[in-house]
Structures are given as structure tokens and as C-alpha cells.
Amino acid sequence: MSTATDVLRTPEERFEDLPGWDYAPDYREVDGLRLAHVDEGDGAPVLFLHGEPTWSYLWRKVIPPVLAAGFRCIAPDHAGFGRSDKPTDLDWYSYERHTELAAELLERLDLRDATVVVHDWGGPIGLRLAAEHPDRIARMAIMDTGLFTGEQPMSDAWKAFRDFVERTEDLPIGFLVKGATARGLDDDVVAAYEAPFPEPAAKAGARAFPLMLPTSPEMPGAAAGKRTLEAMRDDPRPKLCLWADGDPIIPFAVGERFAAAIGAEPPLKIENASHFLQEDAGEEIGRRIADWMRG
């Protein structure tokens, strides 16, 4: 996992006074990269994995009810996102590499009996972690995501988004997040999503995620996605699926099919929510996860 590429580090002052986000980061060095996560509370660990083009800030409304229920909440920033270092070469990013870095955190913190909470690209990463580290992950909470085998049909909205990302070096991160909420975002929250990315070169990770999603079985990551899907199908560990009622990218009907494919109960519908349902209904989602874990 060498990092023979240019790397950008977002200045710390860009993260000052972000609304609703008072957690201090922990840092670790992996293969020359400084990677960030927040680690709050005690009790059984809950690992929150964000996706595209967000960072751990996505979970700021979800974490408090889970913390209050007596759990330890850990939310990493993937390489290229949040407070983590940002390789500037799009080709540096891969499903393999992101999964390896997430697994390194599991090992580094020696997490056991963990719940992994996944969204968007956090799903392929987190569910693969669960498949490959069953000694560490005991249950899964899953929202608006999928496993990408190269055989899955992709929505027109997703194809349009991918094409936009491919040709847009200065990706409008905050605009994209706001556009995939049902209840809108205040300007200071939009700015918080922009904060990790002080220049276009820092957005390589955000651009890479859609481009590395396999759309044919021969593409990198497709075989690993298929292995994970097959492993999940008969996996007896508890799974909770929560899905937005109005996600244009991964619609609720797709969520129903995905839940069935991984042997989970049908998803609970989050009303008046879009793809970033954590923004639309974060407190409700946090309460539902906490109640499920205690139950």
C-alpha cells in the first residue's frame, strides 16, 4: 500500500467552529498517510463509515443518541476525505485500498463485538469488513447503499452523476450533498461539507469513488463485491436496514431488493428523506440504531 503520489493535508483552521461538530480528531499514520477518526464514549463499539462525497461530519446528528445509549462511537474519514490526508492521483484510490485502511483501524483499535453502520460507499467497504472480520463485527446497520458486482443495474441519476464527476475537476461538494437532501441544508452546513477541500486537487478522492464503482464483472472490485454479496446472503448476524423514502440515486425499491439479497429484514422507511438521510432524519436514525442494539 505504498503512497507514491502527491498528498494534500487540509489546514486545521478549516475545521474550526463547524456547526454541531465538537469532536476532537484522533490521528494515525499508515503508509505515510495521516488518517483521522473520532472516537467518543465507552461501551460496545459502533463504527460509522461514510461514503461519497461526505466525511465523518455526516454522522453528527446520528452519533449523539447512540452515545447517550451507552455505546462507543468511532467515525473515520476515508483517505481523501475529511481530516484525513488526500492523495491527488485519482488512480491511487481503489476499493481494495479503502477496505485495507478501514481494516487497519479495526485492528489498530482492537475492536470486538462491533456494530458497523454504513452508507453509500461505506456499504461496500463496511460489509466487506464484516465478511472478512467476523471475529470483530457482530452486527450491521445499513442505509442507502449496495454491493457492486459489476452486474447491478445503475439508475439514470447515478449515470448522470458519474458523468458529471468525470468531467468536473472542481466538484461542488456542498452543492451535491444539499441536492440529495429532502429538507435542505443551512449554508453553514454546506460550508462544513466543503471544509476538507480547499482546492480542486484535494477532491481526487471524491471524484474517484464514483469512477471506481464496477459496472462490469471484469472491473476491479467486482469480484470482491460478488464474494461479499454471497457471504452476506447466508450470514446469520443481525442486520438493520434503514432507507430513505425519496432517494433518487438508490431508490427504496432497490433497498428492498438489496435487503432480501443479503438476508436482512425489509428496510425501515425513513420518511421525508433523500440520499443523505442522516441530514434529513439523523436523530431518528440514531435512536432507531440505539434501540435496535439494546433490543
Side-chain angles (χ1 to χ4, degrees):
M1 267 202 313
S2 80
T3 56
T5 184
D6 289 337
V7 172
L8 291 175
R9 179 169 295 171
T10 304
E12 203 56 44
E13 57 266 22
R14 288 188 60 97
F15 298 102
E16 290 172 3
D17 303 319
L18 298 185
W21 192 246
D22 300 324
Y23 305 123
D26 290 341
Y27 291 110
R28 68 196 199 279
E29 292 281 335
V30 187
D31 291 324
L33 287 182
R34 191 184 76 165
L35 301 177
H37 63 276
V38 300
D39 188 347
E40 298 285 329
D42 300 299
V46 185
L47 181 66
F48 296 87
L49 296 179
H50 73 83
E52 155 76 9
T54 57
W55 57 291
S56 54
Y57 186 74
L58 176 75
W59 303 108
R60 76 190 182 287
K61 298 178 183 178
V62 181
I63 286 173
V66 180
L67 263 181
F71 297 102
R72 175 184 175 191
C73 294
I74 301 148
D77 295 332
H78 299 306
F81 296 84
R83 283 182 159 101
S84 289
D85 282 351
K86 297 167 182 69
T88 59
D89 179 3
L90 265 72
D91 293 335
W92 181 90
Y93 295 91
S94 69
Y95 182 26
E96 203 65 35
R97 191 165 250 154
H98 279 298
T99 306
E100 286 175 3
L101 291 172
E104 190 278 338
L105 181 63
L106 272 185
E107 303 279 341
R108 174 86 59 115
L109 299 180
D110 193 24
L111 300 184
R112 307 272 174 184
D113 192 33
T115 300
V116 67
V117 181
V118 302
H119 175 252
D120 193 272
W121 254 104
I125 295 166
L127 296 178
R128 185 172 166 190
L129 278 190
E132 295 177 358
H133 301 271
D135 55 323
R136 295 189 178 277
I137 293 175
R139 61 198 75 73
M140 298 153 244
I142 300 158
M143 54 196 95
D144 296 63
T145 188
L147 282 167
F148 307 120
T149 63
E151 298 164 357
Q152 75 287 338
M154 302 305 296
S155 67
D156 289 341
W158 183 84
K159 290 172 187 169
F161 174 62
R162 185 199 184 283
D163 292 345
F164 174 72
V165 168
E166 191 162 32
R167 64 174 187 266
T168 309
E169 188 180 351
D170 193 4
L171 212 56
I173 305 284
F175 170 81
L176 290 173
V177 177
K178 183 175 183 176
T181 62
R183 307 181 198 183
L185 293 183
D186 292 338
D187 289 347
D188 56 353
V189 173
V190 173
Y193 280 109
E194 291 279 0
F197 307 107
E199 57 184 283
K203 300 179 181 183
R207 293 182 65 209
F209 259 142
L211 305 180
M212 71 192 207
L213 192 154
T215 51
S216 74
E218 298 74 40
M219 286 178 66
K226 188 160 191 172
R227 277 198 311 276
T228 303
L229 182 62
E230 288 166 355
M232 286 292 115
R233 206 163 265 146
D234 302 312
D235 193 303
R237 285 172 288 180
K239 304 180 187 95
L240 171 70
C241 291
L242 304 168
W243 224 271
D245 65 343
D247 186 339
I249 302 160
I250 314 177
F252 188 80
V254 175
E256 292 179 306
R257 292 197 295 273
F258 183 61
I262 61 171
E265 294 291 314
L268 299 174
K269 186 178 286 186
I270 305 298
E271 304 284 351
N272 190 21
S274 187
H275 182 68
F276 295 109
L277 62 169
Q278 301 88 345
E279 286 296 341
D280 291 320
E283 296 89 349
E284 176 192 347
I285 290 165
R287 287 194 303 272
R288 285 179 181 262
I289 291 171
D291 290 347
W292 170 69
M293 289 175 64
R294 285 186 299 207

